[in-house]
Amino acid sequence: MVAGVSGCAATSTRRIDEVPMSTPVVSARHFAGTPTVGALFLPGFYPRLHTCTASVVRSASGSVIMTAAHCVHGSGKGYVFAPGYRDGRTPFGVWRVTAAYGSRGWVRAHRPQQDWAFLLVRPREVGGRRQVVEQVTGANSLGSAPRVGTTVEVPAYPIAVAGRAITCQASVYRHAGYPAFDCGGYVGGTSGAPWLVGTRRGRAVVGLVAGLHQGGCTPGTSYSPQLGPAARRALVRADRRAPPDVFPGALPDGCSASPNRP
């Protein structure tokens, strides 16, 4: 699921072990977007095709974004982040990635519980002043894995040329040790989308579309790795501009072919 194939819609191809905990299953809606969440472009693909989602996380440097580790290959240099992206417009600018940070468990062994990455983005000149991304967009704090029953909001960008954001509110349950939720519309490109709790005055990222099967095998269920101390250590390394990691790229997601995959 390198492009972010994850689930969130009732479908006849849903795996038996991905049956939602409650009914009915709701569907995501298009919305105008939010400043802290944006489309992520592979090197050389901006402004054409965005293939994953990323979000700004609070840091001392104000220059760190978060996405799924399976979205990143190599050093991360050359990736492009467009927060608040909508129909080809970039209201909060375009930010270039300079380095990537993850966990030893992912870099060496592709452990799905550590399918997250922190990317350092370069400051920009805005109105003649040097600014970091957090000064322009704000940021969400990094939280820990949500409890069962927590309601999360998940802004995301399906894979597209141009395109608009989607969002959904859904209740978290647990499957095979992974936080999970059900909501329609989270297809390719939504990998890395943050699971947000709180209000617009203060939000935390408690998960992201990633983890088991790189986020999910069908458009019926999305998963997250359990965020915790390892993720916080990687964020600190990114914030301090420590020697970066080299990501190996994603392995097959372990899903059988499905007509719902892009």
Side-chain angles (χ1 to χ4, degrees):
M1 198 176 60
V2 175
V5 178
S6 67
C8 267
T11 142
S12 60
T13 61
R14 183 190 298 279
R15 290 164 52 96
I16 300 261
D17 62 354
E18 294 182 358
V19 174
M21 297 294 288
S22 60
T23 55
V25 176
V26 296
S27 292
R29 61 179 176 82
H30 286 285
F31 81 126
T34 185
T36 61
V37 181
L40 188 66
F41 297 78
L42 290 167
F45 277 75
Y46 178 80
R48 293 171 289 147
L49 180 70
H50 51 86
T51 57
C52 279
T53 303
S55 63
V56 185
V57 288
R58 185 164 295 121
S59 64
S61 67
S63 297
V64 183
I65 64 175
M66 184 180 190
T67 191
H70 71 260
C71 289
V72 183
H73 182 263
S75 68
K77 190 173 182 179
Y79 282 70
V80 173
F81 175 59
Y85 187 80
R86 183 175 181 180
D87 296 328
R89 298 191 296 273
T90 56
F92 302 99
V94 172
W95 303 81
R96 308 280 174 173
V97 174
T98 61
Y101 298 82
S103 73
R104 181 178 300 178
W106 176 268
V107 171
R108 294 187 177 182
H110 286 92
R111 291 178 184 167
Q113 282 286 15
Q114 296 178 359
D115 186 4
W116 35 257
F118 295 92
L119 308 180
L120 191 65
V121 297
R122 182 184 300 123
R124 297 174 61 242
E125 290 292 325
V126 180
R129 296 173 55 195
R130 181 181 180 276
Q131 289 189 316
V132 295
V133 65
E134 190 173 327
Q135 290 175 301
V136 178
T137 63
N140 306 302
S141 61
L142 181 64
S144 299
R147 295 181 179 179
V148 171
T150 299
T151 297
V152 293
E153 183 175 355
V154 187
Y157 283 85
I159 186 171
V161 175
R164 298 171 60 192
I166 61 172
T167 191
C168 185
Q169 290 187 336
S171 181
V172 173
Y173 61 96
R174 201 62 64 86
H175 170 75
Y178 293 83
F181 74 87
D182 295 279
C183 179
Y186 288 74
V187 292
T190 62
S191 281
W195 299 19
L196 301 176
V197 298
T199 67
R200 294 189 181 277
R201 298 181 64 181
R203 287 181 168 182
V205 180
V206 296
L208 72 163
V209 176
L212 184 63
H213 299 304
Q214 298 177 16
C217 283
T218 73
T221 298
S222 294
Y223 298 116
S224 173
Q226 295 202 62
L227 299 181
R232 285 189 282 275
R233 287 194 294 271
L235 172 59
V236 169
R237 289 176 55 229
D239 203 23
R240 293 177 176 174
R241 292 174 169 77
D245 296 313
V246 177
F247 283 67
L251 293 175
D253 56 22
C255 302
S256 59
S258 164
N260 294 297
R261 297 183 64 188

